[in-house]
C-alpha cells in the first residue's frame, strides 16, 4: 500500500523562494574589489536570479545545457547558482586554480555552452577561447564600465544582461532527479572526472547542513564562506543558507589572513568554513600581528575539511578565539558532507585535551550516509577503532557514476562507492581517516599514517606546513620522509622536530629523515600533491638503509 502524501519535487528554486518569503531581509555581503563591498539580501538575490534566468533564456540556454563559471565567491556567482539550476540547466563550476590545459579539457568534456568569468580570469579565458569549441558565448561578471576589450567572443556584460531582463519568471517544476550542477574532481592522477548532482541530492544534503547534529546552520548564523563556490558547491552551504535564511558573507578573492580577519570582525561572522591551509595562514597572521582585537571576533563554530584538521588548528581556535572546530570529511563524490565531527553528550564535560582527541577524528556519519570499512578481499572490518581498511560509502547524495561514463562502473554489486581513503571507525562511529590509499606508508608490513605524522609535525613551533611520504628502504620496504616548510624567520632544525615528535607518535613511525623546502606543491583544492613530492624525492637517500626509488625501480 502506498502512502497518500503529496509528491512535491525537491528543487533548488524552492530554496530561493523560501528564503525570499521567510528571510527576505537576511543579508548577503560580497567583496567585489579592493575595499569595495556589495550588500543586498535574499529579496534582492531572488529578483536578480529571476532576471538572470530570463537573460539565460534570451541567450539561448536550454534545460540540460551546461553553463560554466570561473569565479570567486561573490553575489553574482551566487545568482548563477540559483538561476542556472533553477531554470533546469546545469551549473558547471570550474576550479580556476587548475592548469589551463585541465580547464580546457573539463570545459570541452562538459560541453559547456556559456562561460561566465570574473575579470581576474580574462587572460585565462582569452588564452583558451580558441580551443573551447562548444562555447557559444562568454559573459564577464562586470558592469559596462569594467568590460575588457574583447579579443574573443561573443562577449556579454553581466550587468547589462541583468538590466535588460524582466524580474518576472516562474521557476519550472522539474523532475527532482534533474541534473543541477557539475563539479570535476581535481584528481591527482588521470583526467578529472565530473560528478553530476541533482536537485534532489542537493536539497537532501542541505537539510543535513541545517540539522542540529549536522552543521546546525540557522537564521541565527552569519556565515563567512571561505570555501570556494567552485569547490564541491562550497560544501553545499549556499543552498543550506537559503533553506534557513543564514546571513552570507562572501570574501571574493581576498583569502589572506588579514582580509579574512577584518571581514570576519566587520560582519560579526559566527560561523565559517575552510580548508586547513586557509586556517594556517589565518593563525599565522594572528600570531605575527600583536594587538589584534581578538575579543571582537564573534566566531563560534568553524568547519574544517578537505584535508585532515591538524590538532594545532583545533587548539588555536579554542584557545585564541573560543571557537569550536567541527571537522568534516567528504569528497566531490559525496556532495561532500558525509561525516561530521560533533560531540556526543558523554564528551561534553571532558577536559579540553580529551575533547580535542574527539575533534581530530573526522566525525560520525550523518543520517543518510552509510559507511563501512573492508580489507583487501572486501571482507567487512570491525568498527573497533583499531582495524583500518578501505572506506566505502553509500547514500542519496553519493555519486552513482561519473559524467559521460568516465571511469566505468564505480559501484560494487551492493551499491557501495570506494572512496580511496583508508580509515578506522571506532565503536561510537567516529571515523579516522589515516590516509589516501595511495599515500599510506607500508613499513615492514605495517601501515604508517602520513596524515597523523603531518599533523603532529605542524604542532611543532617553527613549522608552517609538513608533508610525509614513503621512501624506499632496503630493510623495511618504505620509511617516512618528513618534508617541512619553516615559518618565516624561524630556523627550527630536523633534530628539534624529531625531538618534538618523540612521545607523540609510535616510536617506529619516527621519520627517518627531515628535509626543508620553501614551499610544498598543492592540488587545485589545496591538498598536498604527494605524487609530485614522490617524484621530487624519488632519489632521496635516507641516512640509514635507503635506496633511491628510481634505482630500486631500475633494479
Ligand atoms: P579532489 O578532487 O581533490 O579529490 P575532493 O574534495 O573530492 O577533491 O577530495 C576528497 C578527499 O579529500 C577525500 O577522499 C579525503 O582523502 C580528503 N579529505 C576530505 N576531508 C578530509 C578530512 N576531514 N580529513 C582527512 N581527509 C579529508
Amino acid at each position: 500500500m502506498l502512502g497518500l502524501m503529496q509528491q512535491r519535487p525537491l528543487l533548488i528554486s524552492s530554496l530561493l523562494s523560501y528564503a525570499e518569503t521567510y528571510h527576505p531581509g537576511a543579508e548577503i555581503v560580497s567583496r567585489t574589489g579592493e575595499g569595495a563591498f556589495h550588500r543586498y539580501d535574499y529579496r534582492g538575490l531572488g529578483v536578480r536570479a529571476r532576471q538572470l534566468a530570463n537573460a539565460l533564456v534570451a541567450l539561448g540556454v536550454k534545460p540540460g545545457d551546461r553553463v560554466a563559471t570561473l569565479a570567486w565567491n561573490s553575489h553574482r556567482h551566487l545568482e548563477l547558482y540559483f538561476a542556472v539550476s533553477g531554470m533546469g540547466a546545469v551549473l558547471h563550476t570550474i576550479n580556476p586554480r587548475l592548469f589551463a590545459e585541465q580547464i580546457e579539457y573539463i570545459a570541452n568534456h562538459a560541453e559547456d555552452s556559456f562561460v561566465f568569468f570574473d575579470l581576474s580570469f580574462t587572460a585565462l579565458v582569452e588564452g583558451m577561447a580558441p580551443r573551447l569549441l562548444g562555447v557559444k558565448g562568454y559573459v564577464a561578471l562586470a558592469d559596462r564600465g569594467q568590460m575588457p576589450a574583447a579579443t574573443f567572443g561573443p562577449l556579454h556584460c553581466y550587468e547589462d544582461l541583468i538590466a535588460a531582463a524582466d524580474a518576472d519568471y516562474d521557476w519550472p517544476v522539474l523532475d527532482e532527479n534533474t541534473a543541477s550542477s557539475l563539479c570535476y574532481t581535481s584528481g591527482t592522477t588521470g583526467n578529472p572526472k565530473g560528478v553530476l548532482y541533482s536537485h534532489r541530492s542537493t536539497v537532501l544534503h542541505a537539510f543535513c547542513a541545517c540539522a542540529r547534529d549536522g552543521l546546525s546552520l540557522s537564521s541565527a548564523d552569519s556565515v563567512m564562506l571561505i570555501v570556494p563556490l567552485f569547490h564541491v558547491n562550497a560544501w553545499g552551504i549556499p543552498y543550506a543558507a537559503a533553506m534557513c535564511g543564514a546571513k552570507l558573507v562572501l570574501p571574493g578573492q581576498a583569502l589572506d589572513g588579514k582580509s579574512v580577519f577584518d571581514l570576519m570582525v566587520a560582519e560579526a561572522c559566527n560561523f565559517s568554513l575552510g580548508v586547513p591551509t586557509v586556517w594556517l595562514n589565518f593563525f599565522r597572521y594572528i600570531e605575527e600581528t600583536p594587538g589584534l582585537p581578538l575579543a571582537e571576533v564573534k566566531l563560534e563554530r568553524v568547519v574544517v575539511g578537505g584535508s585532515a584538521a591538524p590538532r594545532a588548528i583545533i587548539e588555536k581556535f579554542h584557545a585564541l578565539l573560543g571557537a569550536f572546530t567541527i571537522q568534516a570529511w567528504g569528497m566531490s563524490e559525496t556532495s561532500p558532507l558525509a561525516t561530521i565531527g560533533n560531540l556526543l553528550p558523554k564528551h561534553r564535560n571532558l577536559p579540553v585535551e580529551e575533547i580535542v582527541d574527539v575533534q581530530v577524528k573526522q566525525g560520525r556519519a550523518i543520517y543518510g550516509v552509510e559507511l563501512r570499512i573492508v580489507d583487501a578481499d572486501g571482507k567487512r572490518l570491525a568498527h573497533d577503532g583499531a582495524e583500518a581498511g578501505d572506506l566505502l560509502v553509500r547514500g542519496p547524495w553519493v555519486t552513482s557514476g561519473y559524467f559521460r561514463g568516465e571511469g566505468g562502473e564505480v559501484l560494487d554489486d551492493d551499491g557501495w562507492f570506494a572512496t580511496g581513503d583508508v580509515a578506522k571507525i571506532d565503536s561510537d562511529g567516529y571515523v579516522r581517516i589515516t590516509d589516501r590509499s595511495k599515500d599510506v606508508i607500508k613499513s615492514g608490513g605495517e601501515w604508517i599514517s602520513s596524515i597523523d605524522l603531518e599533523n603532529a609535525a605542524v604542532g611543532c613551533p617553527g613549522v608552517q606546513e609538513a608533508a610525509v611520504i614513503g621512501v624506499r628502504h632496503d630493510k623495511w620496504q618504505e620509511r617516512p620522509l618528513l618534508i617541512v616548510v619553516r615559518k618565516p624567520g624561524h630556523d627550527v632544525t630536523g633534530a628539534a622536530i624529531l625531538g618534538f615528535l618523540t612521545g607523540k607518535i609510535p616510536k617506529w613511525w619516527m621519520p627517518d629523515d627531515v628535509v626543508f623546502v620553501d614551499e610544498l606543491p598543492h592540488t587545485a583544492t589545496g591538498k598536498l600533491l604527494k605524487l609530485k613530492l614522490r617524484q621530487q624525492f624519488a632519489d632521496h637517500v635516507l641516512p640509514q638503509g635507503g635506496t633511491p626509488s628510481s634505482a630500486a625501480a631500475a633494479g
Side-chain angles (χ1 to χ4, degrees):
M1 185 188 286
L2 294 177
L4 290 172
M5 292 295 115
Q6 298 182 5
Q7 287 279 352
R8 299 292 299 162
L10 300 173
L11 297 179
I12 288 172
S13 55
S14 71
L15 298 170
L16 182 58
S17 302
Y18 181 83
E20 267 188 281
T21 309
Y22 291 99
H23 300 280
E27 275 189 301
I28 299 164
V29 183
S30 173
R31 183 195 288 274
T32 50
E34 195 55 49
F37 290 90
H38 175 273
R39 310 183 82 93
Y40 65 167
D41 50 26
Y42 285 102
R43 184 190 290 114
L45 172 64
V47 170
R48 281 175 54 101
R50 286 194 298 279
Q51 287 178 298
L52 178 55
N54 276 322
L56 291 166
V57 172
L59 284 173
V61 174
K62 301 265 179 316
D65 283 358
R66 271 75 69 201
V67 174
T69 60
L70 276 165
W72 302 108
N73 288 10
S74 73
H75 64 291
R76 292 177 178 133
H77 204 174
L78 192 66
E79 290 158 7
L80 283 154
Y81 256 62
F82 287 99
V84 173
S85 304
M87 70 167 296
V90 179
L91 181 78
H92 175 202
T93 51
I94 302 181
N95 186 336
R97 297 197 183 111
L98 293 169
F99 296 120
E101 306 82 72
Q102 281 177 307
I103 297 180
E104 266 175 53
Y105 168 86
I106 287 175
N108 283 322
H109 188 271
E111 298 175 331
D112 291 329
S113 58
F114 282 86
V115 178
F116 286 68
F117 64 96
D118 269 340
L119 292 178
S120 53
F121 303 120
T122 307
L124 177 71
V125 174
E126 188 162 30
M128 294 186 308
R131 287 175 302 283
L132 299 185
L133 304 176
V135 173
K136 298 186 191 125
Y138 298 86
V139 181
L141 295 168
D143 56 36
R144 176 57 43 199
Q146 300 169 308
M147 285 298 284
T151 59
F152 58 99
L155 177 63
H156 305 274
C157 165
Y158 185 82
E159 291 301 335
D160 282 358
L161 293 180
I162 297 270
D166 203 288
D168 275 338
Y169 180 86
D170 288 330
W171 299 111
V173 180
L174 309 164
D175 180 323
E176 65 180 9
N177 291 304
T178 303
S180 55
S181 65
L182 177 64
C183 291
Y184 280 73
T185 61
S186 43
T188 42
T189 52
N191 279 325
K193 296 195 276 301
V195 181
L196 189 61
Y197 308 95
S198 69
H199 286 258
R200 174 186 155 82
S201 70
T202 303
V203 173
L204 290 174
H205 182 265
F207 273 117
C208 87
C210 296
R212 179 70 180 78
D213 280 332
L215 299 182
S216 196
L217 198 68
S218 82
S219 57
D221 289 321
S222 168
V223 182
M224 172 94 171
L225 192 63
I226 296 179
V227 57
L229 289 168
F230 55 75
H231 190 189
V232 209
N233 300 320
W235 300 352
I237 296 305
Y239 310 112
M243 179 178 269
C244 66
K247 171 176 171 178
L248 273 179
V249 180
L250 306 169
Q253 197 175 345
L255 300 180
D256 59 285
K258 176 173 170 36
S259 303
V260 168
F261 185 91
D262 291 349
L263 191 55
M264 213 174 245
V265 170
E267 298 302 328
C269 296
N270 68 324
F271 184 81
S272 188
L273 313 92
V275 296
T277 328
V278 164
W279 299 122
L280 289 171
N281 290 334
F282 177 73
F283 283 116
R284 192 167 98 192
Y285 168 70
I286 290 183
E287 284 164 353
E288 286 174 355
T289 318
L292 282 177
L294 296 187
E296 288 177 30
V297 177
K298 301 283 177 265
L299 211 55
E300 292 164 356
R301 294 161 7 256
V302 188
V303 181
V304 182
S307 301
R311 195 176 179 96
I313 286 185
I314 298 171
E315 287 172 343
K316 282 177 192 173
F317 271 122
H318 174 78
L320 298 179
L321 302 173
F324 184 81
T325 304
I326 304 168
Q327 179 158 195
W329 167 86
M331 55 202 313
S332 306
E333 290 85 340
T334 65
S335 292
L337 294 175
T339 68
I340 298 182
N342 287 306
L343 299 181
L344 290 170
K346 69 175 180 183
H347 298 131
R348 296 257 158 72
N349 298 320
L350 291 176
V352 172
E353 270 294 285
E354 290 175 41
I355 288 185
V356 177
D357 290 343
V358 179
Q359 290 175 287
V360 293
K361 297 176 189 171
Q362 275 71 22
R364 288 150 38 90
I366 43 184
Y367 169 75
V369 172
E370 293 174 82
L371 296 178
R372 62 170 52 168
I373 42 174
V374 296
D375 67 12
D377 301 322
K379 191 169 97 14
R380 233 178 135 170
L381 298 174
H383 293 187
D384 60 2
E387 293 197 302
D390 294 318
L391 182 63
L392 311 185
V393 61
R394 200 161 72 169
W397 52 89
V398 176
T399 193
S400 62
Y402 293 104
F403 187 47
R404 297 181 51 195
E406 290 298 326
E409 185 56 60
V410 298
L411 304 186
D412 71 12
D413 290 347
D414 296 318
W416 293 97
F417 175 81
T419 63
D421 285 335
V422 176
K424 298 174 180 178
I425 303 179
D426 68 21
S427 54
D428 285 325
Y430 284 89
V431 169
R432 173 135 198 154
I433 304 287
T434 58
D435 250 313
R436 291 294 284 170
S437 48
K438 55 186 178 297
D439 296 337
V440 157
I441 300 162
K442 294 182 178 127
S443 174
E446 298 285 344
W447 288 3
I448 296 177
S449 162
S450 65
I451 293 184
D452 286 353
L453 276 181
E454 285 155 9
N455 287 347
V458 169
C460 178
V463 174
Q464 172 65 21
E465 210 186 351
V468 175
I469 56 168
V471 175
R472 296 282 314 175
H473 189 278
D474 292 344
K475 183 170 173 197
W476 300 111
Q477 183 189 355
E478 270 186 348
R479 289 295 301 157
L481 169 68
L482 175 60
I483 307 163
V484 171
V485 178
R486 290 189 181 100
K487 282 191 179 151
H490 287 256
D491 57 0
V492 61
T493 62
I497 298 172
L498 296 183
F500 174 85
L501 291 177
T502 305
K504 296 189 174 68
I505 54 168
K507 233 174 169 173
W508 60 278
W509 284 26
M510 196 55 81
D512 282 33
D513 204 359
V514 184
V515 293
F516 293 92
V517 292
D518 291 336
E519 60 178 338
L520 288 167
H522 292 97
T523 69
T525 51
K527 295 184 219 308
L528 287 168
L529 197 47
K530 298 270 179 91
L531 188 73
K532 182 105 176 272
L533 285 174
R534 280 193 285 266
Q535 286 164 353
Q536 199 177 329
F537 289 93
D539 291 326
H540 186 81
V541 183
L542 294 172
Q544 288 180 346
T547 306
S549 298
S550 53

